[in-house]
Amino acid sequence: MDKRADEITTQFTLNGHPVSAVPRTGERLSEMLRERLDTRDVKIGCNAGDCGACTVLLDGAPVCACLVPAQQAAGRSVETVAGLTRDDQIAQNLADSFQNHGAAQCGICTPGMMTAAVALLRETPQPDTEQVQDALGGVLCRCTGYRKIIDAVVAAGAATQPVATTGHAGEAIWRVDGIDKVTGAEQFGDDVAPSGTLEVFVIRSPYHRAGFTFGDLDAWAQSTAGIEAVLTAKDIPGRNIFGVIPDFADQPVFAEVETRFRGEAVAAIVASPEFVATFDPSNFPVTWDERPAALETHEALKPQAAQLHPDRENNVMCGGFVTCGAPESALSSADVVVEGHFRSGFVEHGYIEPEAGFAEIVDGRVEVHACTQAPVMDLDALEIILGMSRDQIRIVPTGVGGGFGSKLDVSVQPFLALATLKTGKPVRLTYSRTESMQSTTKRHPSDLRVKIGANKDGTISGMTFDGLFNTGAYASWGPTVANRVPVHASGPYRIADYRAEAKGIHTHCPPSGAFRGFGVPQSAIAQESLFDELADQLDIDPLDFRIRNALENGVPTVCGQVFDQGVGIRACLEALRTAWVEENEAANAFNAHSDALKRGVGLAAGWYGCGNTSLPNPSTIKSGIKADGTLVLHQGAMDIGQGANTVITQIFATALGIPVGQVERIGADTDVTPDAGKTSASRQTYVSGSAARLSGEALRAQILARVNAGPEAVISLKAGALEVNDQGQPHVIDLAALEPDVEGYVLRAEETYDPPTKPLDENGQGIPYSQFGYAAHLAVVEVDTKLGTVKPIKFVAAHDVGKAINPMLVEGQVQGGIAQGLGMALMEEYLPGRTENLHDYLIPTIGDIPPIETIIIEEADAHGPYGAKGLGEHVLIPTAPALFNAIKRACGVRLTQGPATPAKLRAAIKEQTDAN
């Protein structure tokens, strides 16, 4: 009698060693490797062959392990990144090259990229850029913008180890956490649970709006083998509510009567992995009552629209407002006035790691391990939901495989905590790609009406801005968007007469939340597009027009804020002048001899305030030295790929005067590491970096005081001792002779930094941010006027970062931000119910990103550590408007609704042609 597939042992070679496993029927190679053979360096991002994160070598050929039936590995050789980097010289050289170039950021795609690249390098030891793009085309990355990866693979054959340095501020050192990324050892949310752990399966609404009723859940669970428990709103011991802004907390863990968006949770099953693997959610005893839904802001504002929240009249969540001068009078007296109606849709974050985590009860306390951007905010949320004292809850973040704002909101955390409390057993939960895209936050769709005037000499004369932002079913970060956008909608320019108003509107869509820029990228498209229109009508060069109106030191912003130093937008714009002239000349020459293909060069600028808008925003950093000479930095700022672990360590080491290599780092953990605030709003380099500088300086001051040394003394850390050289006078501090504290530190420092801001008044006047970063981008595109396709050819990006703490990481952030801005401009639009996976929703691939030249400007900030400013959000803001302006200059079409898909652009070109 033939054996069933799940009774057959599959034997094969894994990383050079014979192994065997008994996979279930239908099991994927990726699951067998991870869950039966503990090969967690193989990452999973989609389970559909779309992202390539799970790439392994099968008999030397790269394959998506999620598409290979486990039994097909029988008798074959499987290689993963862990084995390759351990045993293969090509892979080891490649790993060094990745580190040399900063080619790994969050690290979730790195094992797939590395593995695919090894296959290429074995056949082609010295590949060119095109060969790398072809070989790695099946692996997606959301962080890097791919150019660093291309450079690393091309240079892999000549990779060298870096020369040892102090690693202080200004040095382009390797990431301090980079080795685990390139070997696949970093543990992300789905990597920490033991195999066989109970799994949570969330039951979600299939409709945009629906009522629902349950059947007999207890009877169903008792009669169904494999189910441990069923959770609903009735199982929440605390309050069934969460939200990132306490005054606007409005989202239930489980809907109670009606669901407000497709994908909203109503219940969860806790069951064995075997049950969950084959469970059909249509068998869950729930009856749905689909109801009329409003998906657009104009629908939700109609009098007959259903009210999503009874205390928010007309579905208006809140608004933000800034005004100065007399904008209407200035517009009426302007020589030229332009106006436009600009719209944009949802944009999905598209991080390669879906939300995932693990929870268990340890000594009576709930411990949650999950991917997050804000561990202390997770703790705040669970304290309310669980109705428990916060000292009975511990949040231990895992590695984060990309976040970009969405992982600020809780996702899996409440389900995990409730499940482990009810069962008393360890539990795990990993969202499917569809589940992630259905249920987590998005970039706000926008509907903007903007009017800007100018005089004949090119100076701005009045601006008005009215924006509606689709905040979805729940508030999330909608209030932040509504308040941040009016501050930024002017762009980094002097506009004396200004009014801007933004409103967040509830709809029956997924909640809109934080996404790299908090609404500013949307407003920048409108403002920078109209700046180009003004320049053209005034017959002024677009670059000169911007420089003429650029903010400077001593000039008030639209909020009346005046900076004495650090306003770097003029320097950013001037840095583009050479490229602007050369690329326009090249485009004109190309267009003179080309019919269907036309090239255009576009400009845009942007600014971004670092940290919370006019609110407290502190970070605390702790450091200490143990009796054996171990130097420890408690670094609680979540690194989601941007490099916080490295940059904050560099700042601390610089302040203390010790090489980075001697710093041992303990990451975020609500039991042992102070709160360094959320990773958002481009705040970590500035705010947590400032706290790290203060901590390093305080620890240094203690050391110098013990030997009465001067401020220029040199400190050396030895085993069990500190040596201090004060202008040739040596001193030794015997650390073993000092009394340790409860944590084992004989010397310690804990310091807090909170940016100096002031509340905005009723007109939006005040000090919303203590620093801004500035950027200006140039984009060159090629438009096929017959097909409507847009091919970016080149970017030049000038960024004022105050002080580049790590120039290599600055370049990586610029390239990654440009890639996301390109996606927003040219291809990305999330449609609820239609684009809920990574083959219907397109993000840029390695072949979509052109060469990017980064120009680093350093206009020192008065507050930032060593003059440094934030960077993460700034890099996306000018990208889309630069592309839209380049498209206009290539084919004459001004698009006011993105993305610029071929169908949309071709229709606009045809409409313009027919009109002429």
Side-chain angles (χ1 to χ4, degrees):
M1 182 175 177
D2 292 338
K3 289 185 177 181
R4 298 196 332 238
D6 58 3
E7 298 175 336
I8 299 174
T9 299
T10 299
Q11 298 178 325
F12 61 101
T13 300
L14 175 60
N15 293 326
H17 300 283
V19 297
S20 62
V22 183
R24 62 174 172 78
T25 301
E27 187 163 297
R28 307 161 191 259
L29 176 58
S30 53
E31 183 179 352
M32 181 174 70
L33 290 171
R34 288 175 52 82
E35 302 304 324
R36 303 189 189 278
L37 297 167
D38 199 30
T39 312
R40 297 284 176 94
D41 57 301
V42 177
K43 310 301 181 184
I44 297 177
C46 67
N47 258 338
D50 295 324
C51 75
C54 65
T55 299
V56 300
L57 301 185
L58 186 60
D59 290 338
V63 298
C64 285
C66 72
L67 296 182
V68 178
Q71 291 83 358
Q72 287 190 8
R76 305 174 75 178
S77 169
V78 175
E79 296 171 279
T80 72
V81 73
L84 291 168
T85 52
R86 182 188 65 226
D87 303 325
D88 186 289
Q89 188 62 53
I90 291 175
Q92 292 166 0
N93 291 342
L94 179 63
D96 286 347
S97 192
F98 261 58
Q99 296 237 68
N100 285 337
H101 290 85
Q105 288 192 16
C106 82
I108 191 70
C109 76
T110 305
M113 288 287 185
M114 291 271 298
T115 303
V118 167
L120 168 66
L121 293 168
R122 285 175 174 175
E123 292 187 359
T124 310
Q126 295 180 307
D128 59 25
T129 294
E130 186 174 344
Q131 289 170 315
V132 174
Q133 290 174 316
D134 288 343
L136 274 59
V139 186
L140 295 177
C141 174
R142 193 59 157 164
C143 295
T144 66
Y146 299 104
R147 300 308 301 192
K148 293 284 188 184
I149 294 171
I150 294 170
D151 293 343
V153 179
V154 169
T160 59
Q161 292 275 341
V163 176
T165 67
T166 62
H168 287 176
E171 295 190 39
I173 64 169
W174 282 11
R175 288 175 177 263
V176 297
D177 52 5
I179 291 176
D180 283 353
K181 296 179 187 294
V182 297
T183 61
E186 181 160 8
Q187 290 192 312
F188 296 94
D190 194 35
D191 296 336
V192 295
S195 295
T197 300
L198 289 174
E199 297 185 11
V200 180
F201 187 100
V202 182
I203 305 299
R204 300 183 180 278
S205 172
Y207 302 109
H208 299 299
R209 180 186 175 216
F212 62 94
T213 55
F214 294 124
D216 190 335
L217 298 181
D218 291 337
W220 178 77
Q222 291 170 9
S223 64
T224 307
I227 293 180
E228 189 82 13
V230 175
L231 301 170
T232 68
K234 294 179 180 179
D235 294 287
I236 296 174
R239 298 177 60 206
N240 185 23
I241 195 168
F242 66 90
V244 292
I245 301 174
D247 289 345
F248 288 87
D250 58 1
Q251 187 165 355
V253 178
F254 295 114
E256 298 182 18
V257 177
E258 179 179 278
T259 59
R260 295 181 173 100
F261 70 95
R262 173 181 166 88
E264 183 163 15
V266 298
I269 300 166
V270 187
S272 67
E274 294 75 18
F275 175 87
V276 171
T278 58
F279 176 63
D280 181 353
S282 66
N283 293 327
F284 187 80
V286 61
T287 301
W288 300 100
D289 171 27
E290 185 178 6
R291 298 171 180 174
L295 303 183
E296 303 283 349
T297 54
H298 68 273
E299 296 173 352
L301 289 170
K302 291 179 180 178
Q304 65 270 31
Q307 295 296 295
L308 277 84
H309 300 277
D311 57 339
R312 297 172 187 169
E313 189 175 355
N314 297 322
N315 289 318
V316 177
M317 178 194 57
C318 71
F321 180 75
V322 171
T323 189
C324 61
E328 297 297 342
S329 175
L331 285 168
S332 65
S333 65
D335 294 317
V336 176
V337 175
V338 296
E339 58 186 311
H341 181 198
F342 296 83
R343 290 171 290 169
S344 67
F346 287 109
V347 182
E348 162 67 23
H349 294 75
Y351 30 73
I352 305 304
E353 178 205 26
E355 295 75 7
F358 165 74
E360 59 182 338
I361 305 296
V362 178
D363 296 330
R365 302 171 71 222
V366 177
E367 289 195 2
V368 178
H369 305 250
C371 52
T372 177
Q373 294 179 233
V376 175
M377 289 175 63
D378 291 357
L379 178 60
D380 295 339
L382 291 186
E383 180 184 15
I384 294 169
I385 293 165
L386 302 182
M388 295 174 63
S389 171
R390 63 192 295 117
D391 62 9
Q392 295 302 301
I393 307 167
R394 181 184 186 187
I395 306 295
V396 185
T398 64
V400 183
F404 316 115
S406 187
K407 290 177 183 173
L408 290 164
D409 299 69
V410 293
S411 55
V412 299
Q413 297 90 332
F415 303 126
L416 289 166
L418 292 166
T420 196
L421 276 174
K422 183 158 185 175
T423 64
K425 299 178 180 180
V427 296
R428 69 190 296 188
L429 171 57
T430 301
Y431 283 179
S432 69
R433 176 55 60 180
T434 295
E435 189 175 20
S436 173
M437 295 182 73
Q438 280 184 353
S439 65
T440 62
T441 61
K442 308 285 175 274
R443 182 180 296 284
H444 284 72
S446 61
D447 188 312
L448 314 177
R449 297 180 185 274
V450 185
K451 182 184 294 187
I452 310 176
N455 295 320
K456 291 178 181 179
D457 64 358
T459 57
I460 297 297
S461 178
M463 175 177 175
T464 59
F465 175 101
D466 293 279
L468 298 179
F469 290 85
N470 184 341
T471 203
Y474 299 105
S476 182
W477 292 96
T480 300
V481 169
N483 284 282
R484 183 178 278 269
V485 166
V487 175
H488 289 80
S490 64
Y493 304 101
R494 170 56 174 154
I495 303 180
D497 302 287
Y498 174 84
R499 180 190 59 78
E501 186 170 2
K503 294 179 180 179
I505 309 299
H506 284 299
T507 65
H508 293 101
C509 291
S512 297
F515 189 172
R516 209 167 191 169
F518 286 100
V520 179
Q522 296 94 303
S523 67
I525 291 172
Q527 172 261 311
E528 288 290 327
S529 295
L530 292 181
F531 265 39
D532 256 32
E533 297 300 313
L534 280 172
D536 287 349
Q537 288 199 30
L538 292 167
D539 195 24
I540 297 175
D541 179 89
L543 177 60
D544 289 335
F545 179 79
R546 287 170 170 82
I547 291 173
R548 190 168 303 178
N549 290 286
L551 281 171
E552 296 182 276
N553 295 335
V555 175
T557 70
V558 291
C559 291
Q561 186 173 7
V562 177
F563 290 93
D564 294 330
Q565 69 177 79
V567 180
I569 185 57
R570 180 181 293 271
C572 290
L573 289 164
E574 289 287 5
L576 297 182
R577 187 174 294 280
T578 298
W580 174 246
V581 172
E582 292 177 351
E583 295 299 337
N584 271 296
E585 290 177 351
N588 291 337
F590 178 89
N591 293 338
H593 299 90
S594 179
D595 184 18
L597 297 179
K598 296 294 183 181
R599 289 190 177 178
V601 186
L603 285 172
W607 65 335
Y608 195 76
C610 300
N612 293 349
T613 309
S614 292
L615 291 171
N617 192 22
S619 283
T620 300
I621 295 288
K622 179 172 69 178
S623 59
I625 299 175
K626 296 184 177 180
D628 64 358
T630 302
L631 171 62
V632 180
L633 174 67
H634 289 258
Q635 202 294 90
M638 289 304 302
D639 193 323
I640 60 174
Q642 84 280 29
N645 284 336
T646 303
V647 166
I648 291 172
T649 304
Q650 287 184 267
I651 292 169
F652 168 76
T654 304
L656 179 57
I658 294 291
V660 164
Q662 291 189 282
V663 180
E664 181 179 300
R665 180 177 46 82
I666 293 178
D669 178 333
T670 57
D671 269 11
V672 299
T673 300
D675 184 13
K678 63 188 186 300
T679 291
S680 74
S682 303
R683 64 178 294 282
Q684 292 296 17
T685 295
Y686 166 40
V687 184
S688 293
S690 293
R693 177 182 61 80
L694 293 173
S695 185
E697 289 175 349
L699 194 59
R700 178 179 176 84
Q702 292 179 42
I703 294 168
L704 298 183
R706 283 186 173 272
V707 295
N708 198 29
E712 303 303 319
V714 176
I715 299 173
S716 300
L717 186 59
K718 308 294 182 182
L722 282 165
E723 295 181 0
V724 181
N725 188 315
D726 186 15
Q727 297 182 341
Q729 181 68 36
H731 303 276
V732 176
I733 300 173
D734 181 3
L735 297 174
L738 305 180
E739 186 71 23
D741 64 13
V742 293
E743 294 182 271
Y745 296 127
V746 296
L747 294 167
R748 63 176 289 147
E750 184 170 323
E751 297 291 333
T752 298
Y753 180 80
D754 193 4
T757 63
K758 291 183 180 179
L760 301 182
D761 65 17
E762 67 278 7
N763 290 320
Q765 300 300 293
I767 301 178
Y769 313 100
S770 56
Q771 71 162 222
F772 285 80
Y774 304 88
H777 288 184
L778 177 151
V780 183
V781 302
E782 185 173 285
V783 175
D784 187 322
T785 57
K786 301 297 184 184
L787 300 177
T789 57
V790 179
K791 180 181 179 181
I793 302 296
K794 179 182 181 180
F795 283 96
V796 182
H799 278 268
D800 170 28
V801 299
K803 167 71 175 180
I805 303 297
N806 188 313
M808 179 173 69
L809 300 189
V810 168
E811 291 178 355
Q813 282 294 286
V814 171
Q815 293 177 8
I818 284 175
Q820 288 189 350
L822 181 150
M824 176 184 176
L826 302 183
M827 64 186 73
E828 296 186 43
E829 184 172 22
Y830 177 81
L831 303 172
R834 292 174 55 188
T835 57
E836 297 174 344
N837 53 63
L838 291 176
H839 55 264
D840 292 320
Y841 184 90
L842 302 179
I843 67 173
T845 70
I846 199 169
D848 293 318
I849 309 302
I852 299 168
E853 178 187 349
T854 301
I855 302 172
I856 296 176
I857 306 295
E858 295 183 309
E859 294 279 344
D861 180 71
H863 303 288
Y866 308 108
K869 302 170 183 174
L871 174 65
E873 259 108 335
H874 313 67
V875 294
L876 188 149
I877 292 166
T879 303
L883 286 166
F884 284 124
N885 285 337
I887 291 169
K888 168 69 185 299
R889 296 194 178 280
C891 63
V893 168
R894 167 62 66 194
L895 288 178
T896 58
Q897 182 172 0
T901 59
K904 197 176 294 180
L905 181 56
R906 177 67 190 115
I909 292 172
K910 185 176 186 301
E911 181 180 356
Q912 177 179 265
T913 302
D914 292 347
N916 294 332

